Amino acid sequence: MMKIRTLFFAVLAGLSLTATAQYTQQLGSNNEFMLKVEAGYGFFMGNVGEAGENGYNLNKFHSMANANVMAGVNISQDWFLGGGAGFNYFLSPEQQTAESYMGANVFVDMDFRPIWKALMGVDYQPTSIKFAPLLGVRAGGSMLFADETLISPLAEVYAGLNWYYWYHFHGMRNMARNWHSFYITLGVAYMQQTVFLPIRIGWRW
């Protein structure tokens, strides 16, 4: 299990270093490298599926504290497609004597931010945009570090709001970075035979 943890955190560190090194990398006239980091808390909603010999993987009303890092491509301003990894800490506020667990996620992340508008059939990006809605999906795998490492599918859908802080503070200067934003999301996530209601805050640049 220690080998799996070491490998996971090495991949996570490598992803972060690669993202930093490629910060200014251009991927085409309409595409640009993007990095996202976020933290959140997922409220326990319920266990699903068939319980195993020892019950559900998380069987004490465990909620989840979570941090993720993602790297990918900002496509034509509106779209993000990339991969990510995250760290989970599962705890039970309702049963404080219940054992807590650590875990990790690896996933593909895609989101859509419809910030383009049309004027007389011509698309354009308004220079004064400050907020935009956000829709996204994730799919991948989840690892739970218990007595043995348990692996399950991960799936999530989420929605939220972006605040384009760069324009707010810098106006028309350096327009290439106006898509940098802080965001907040609310979603529904499945992993380890459990459904969570995650609330997250994040930063994209």
Side-chain angles (χ1 to χ4, degrees):
M1 185 169 67
M2 286 300 298
K3 291 183 178 180
I4 294 176
R5 294 187 190 181
T6 302
L7 177 61
F8 170 77
F9 288 113
V11 170
L12 184 59
L15 180 64
S16 300
L17 291 173
T18 301
T20 302
Q22 295 181 347
Y23 173 76
T24 59
Q25 176 182 347
Q26 297 296 315
L27 301 173
S29 59
N30 294 321
N31 305 326
E32 194 166 12
F33 180 82
M34 177 182 284
L35 182 67
K36 294 166 58 177
V37 293
E38 62 186 25
Y41 188 86
F43 295 93
F44 174 86
M45 297 295 290
N47 295 120
V48 296
E50 294 293 331
E53 180 179 347
N54 298 315
Y56 291 104
N57 294 351
L58 298 169
N59 57 5
K60 302 293 184 181
F61 304 99
H62 287 80
S63 291
M64 171 185 66
N66 170 254
N68 297 320
V69 60
M70 291 142 281
V73 183
N74 186 44
I75 304 171
S76 299
Q77 294 288 333
D78 294 38
W79 297 87
F80 170 79
L81 178 62
F87 170 80
N88 302 324
Y89 182 71
F90 299 99
L91 68 162
S92 179
E94 295 188 16
Q95 299 186 23
Q96 297 185 6
T97 58
E99 184 176 359
S100 298
Y101 302 99
M102 293 189 296
N105 298 333
V106 179
F107 55 88
V108 174
D109 180 40
M110 181 178 71
D111 71 44
F112 175 55
R113 311 172 315 279
I115 64 175
W116 289 80
K117 296 183 180 180
L119 179 65
M120 299 178 63
V122 178
D123 287 338
Y124 76 103
Q125 182 190 5
T127 59
S128 61
I129 190 130
K130 295 181 182 178
F131 296 95
L134 168 66
L135 299 172
V137 296
R138 291 175 183 169
S142 168
M143 293 178 286
L144 179 67
F145 303 134
D147 294 334
E148 59 180 292
T149 300
L150 303 173
I151 300 175
S152 84
L154 176 153
E156 181 177 343
V157 294
Y158 58 91
L161 183 68
N162 280 272
W163 173 45
Y164 290 92
Y165 66 89
W166 191 269
Y167 179 84
H168 181 84
F169 292 113
H170 300 277
M172 297 289 290
R173 290 175 295 171
N174 200 344
M175 290 294 295
R177 296 185 179 180
N178 267 8
W179 49 266
H180 293 199
S181 68
F182 294 109
Y183 61 88
I184 184 169
T185 63
L186 174 65
V188 177
Y190 166 82
M191 67 189 79
Q192 300 296 336
Q193 299 176 290
T194 307
V195 176
F196 298 94
L197 185 72
I199 300 175
R200 297 193 177 99
I201 55 172
W203 179 28
R204 70 170 78 240
W205 76 95

